[in-house]
Amino acid sequence: MDTATPFGHLLRDWRQRRRLTQLDLADAAGVSTRHVSFLETHRSLPSRALLMRLGAVLDMPLRERNRMLVSAGFAPMYREHRWDEQALQVAREAIERLLAAHEPYPALAIDRHWNLVTANAAAQRLMAGLPEALLAPVPNVLRASLHPDGLSSRIANLPQWRAHILERLQHQHEATQDPVLDDLRKELAAYPGGEAEDPGAAEAIIVPLQLRGPDGQVLSFLGTTTVFGTPNDVTLAELAIESFFPADPGTAVPAACDGAGLSARGAGQLMRRPPGSAPSPSRGTARHRPG
């Protein structure tokens, strides 16, 4: 846990990221502008309750709220359990049920850096045959999809999908300032894939993932992201489920998934991160957002 950065610097940094003035933050948190100024310049010390209120107003990730608490001399508020710990058993079982129920279409759970946590059989089959370098020790699903040796050769609309992924990573980095996400975005941007220049793409309601199957048929999927709605654990707060639904009538036919190699039949055991392995996994009610 980082304790080197003074509390006031963290508060000012997060306020500016959210594009709030000291007056905006003071009004939302129920304190004076003078008090916010004193907190940022280390002329006043915050209470634990005020820190929790500021973290909520600024919509800070739980990991960052812990960091701010520690920097102000308090103990962290939110636990970070390993994925295989007993405390997360109920959440693990709920996720596995969601993934299994999504067959025959791909669905997978990822951590805050897009590393695979677990996946259903259809998603596992998508990754079957990829080079070991892209799968070990833990697959990064964005790297596996856009790497020249990964799934990119099967993505029919690679320029559009690549642009969508890079934009999404950019937004995530701006929201969290996580340097790992910035490094990942730069790495993916250096991969070949072309630029999205289709003037009609803006008219589509969503950017689909279009995959070519071994039989040559192109399947079109739209993506959604599911997160836990009220987490009090850092691991759960940073975990997301990416699910892909048919985006056209042809893809909705189960036989199409058979031809594309996505059928769960014969897929074997779900792909999972080994218990306790690194890296570790961005709410109790599930919320969905388009991918």
Side-chain angles (χ1 to χ4, degrees), residues 180-191:
V180 176
L181 290 177
D182 190 42
D183 289 342
L184 179 61
R185 184 191 62 81
K186 292 175 181 177
E187 176 189 340
L188 301 185
Y191 293 164

Side-chain angles (χ1 to χ4, degrees), residues 199-216:
E203 300 175 3
I205 62 170
I206 200 166
V207 179
L209 171 61
Q210 297 177 335
L211 286 173
R212 296 187 188 91
D215 60 354

Side-chain angles (χ1 to χ4, degrees), residues 157 159-161 163 196-208:
N157 62 333
Q160 291 77 24
W161 185 252
E197 299 177 350
D198 181 5
E203 300 175 3
I205 62 170
I206 200 166
V207 179

Side-chain angles (χ1 to χ4, degrees), residues 202-235:
E203 300 175 3
I205 62 170
I206 200 166
V207 179
L209 171 61
Q210 297 177 335
L211 286 173
R212 296 187 188 91
D215 60 354
Q217 180 181 356
V218 175
L219 300 183
S220 186
F221 296 96
L222 59 87
T224 66
T225 302
T226 304
V227 294
F228 283 91
T230 54
N232 275 323
D233 179 88
V234 174
T235 299

